[in-house]
Amino acid sequence: MKRLVILISGRGSNMEAIVEAAAAEHWAAQVVAVVSDRPDAAGLAWAAARGIRAVVVDRSQHAVRADFDRALLLAVQALQPDLVVLAGFMRILGEPFVRAFEGRLLNIHPSLLPAFPGLHTHRRALEAGCTVAGATVHFVTPALDHGPIVIQAAVPVLPGDTEATLAARVLAREHQIYPLAVRWWVEGMLSIEGLRVRHRDGAPQFLIA
Ligand code: GRF
């Protein structure tokens, strides 16, 4: 059984999608803990209600960023994860954390990277007049929202879209591609070659809807 640890900061809908897929599809993996940098993250209660260990490393208790990073690294290492999954974790991780889990650290970002790293991706996509938007699951490297891409989902930008309607359309696809990407990792299907991620059986690493 692979040990998965999921890091969240808020709602945790991607975490839910992963937990549910792991159970429904009988993965050889278990979400052993959910870790939040905010004690009020809604996803913590959902995890605890499912009997999943909920851990808080409170960012407000660490004035210095490096101290928070160290505390988070220790807390996550103590959980002995095989894979660390960032799911709406709204904190930039320090290099020691990223290096500690190299090749075992996934993130989802609500844009078609390398477009729109950082915050407010949907607003920026609308402002830029994009006709296509989407989400990306990638391995994490020390650069923000950058790293070898595992899978991307594309959705249309429709006339009259607002940030909220576009975010909802993208989120529905996030809930499909993130569990799939984690499952691929668990099954040993992924290899990283430079900035490229290859699926051993050549499964399509995109979803276009
Ligand atoms: C998602 O859109 C994710 O891509 C982004 O933050 C949001 C988190 O949503 N990084 P949730 O907490 O998984 O519901």
Side-chain angles (χ1 to χ4, degrees):
M1 274 287 196
K2 298 278 189 217
R3 296 170 63 83
L4 312 182
V5 169
I6 303 182
L7 271 57
I8 64 168
S9 295
R11 181 178 54 187
S13 68
N14 278 291
M15 169 207 66
E16 286 185 30
I18 292 165
V19 168
E20 305 222 317
E25 299 167 5
H26 308 291
W27 297 359
Q30 201 189 351
V31 178
V32 294
V34 171
V35 180
S36 173
D37 61 327
R38 302 177 56 115
D40 59 351
L44 282 175
W46 187 91
R50 296 280 295 228
I52 298 169
R53 189 159 163 200
V55 176
V56 176
V57 181
D58 191 343
R59 68 161 85 163
S60 69
Q61 299 301 307
H62 302 273
V64 179
R65 201 186 120 180
D67 290 347
F68 170 80
D69 284 356
R70 209 167 303 118
L72 184 71
L73 179 57
L74 288 175
V76 174
Q77 275 173 333
L79 297 163
Q80 298 183 297
D82 293 297
L83 179 69
V84 178
V85 178
L86 307 180
F89 185 69
M90 302 303 287
R91 186 89 187 182
I92 298 170
L93 294 168
E95 189 156 345
F97 190 102
V98 174
R99 295 275 178 232
F101 297 107
E102 212 157 6
R104 307 188 288 135
L105 183 57
L106 290 175
N107 182 43
I108 191 160
H109 183 73
S111 79
L112 292 172
L113 290 174
F116 310 123
L119 296 174
H120 310 302
T121 56
H122 305 302
R123 186 194 309 166
R124 288 156 64 204
L126 290 169
E127 282 169 2
C130 294
T131 59
V132 174
T136 303
V137 178
H138 64 97
F139 284 99
V140 177
T141 61
L144 176 66
D145 295 328
H146 185 77
I149 291 171
V150 178
I151 185 168
Q152 293 185 300
V155 301
V157 177
L158 300 177
D161 258 343
T162 62
E163 228 179 306
T165 59
L166 182 56
R169 190 174 310 118
V170 171
L171 190 66
R173 297 301 172 206
E174 293 183 39
H175 296 162
Q176 292 179 278
I177 62 171
Y178 213 1
L180 186 57
V182 174
R183 180 181 177 157
W184 284 345
W185 189 92
V186 167
E187 293 175 343
M189 289 294 184
L190 301 177
S191 62
I192 306 175
E193 298 163 20
L195 267 181
R196 277 243 149 142
V197 178
R198 293 197 191 280
H199 185 283
R200 206 169 47 186
D201 292 345
Q205 289 169 246
F206 58 85
L207 180 70
I208 297 178

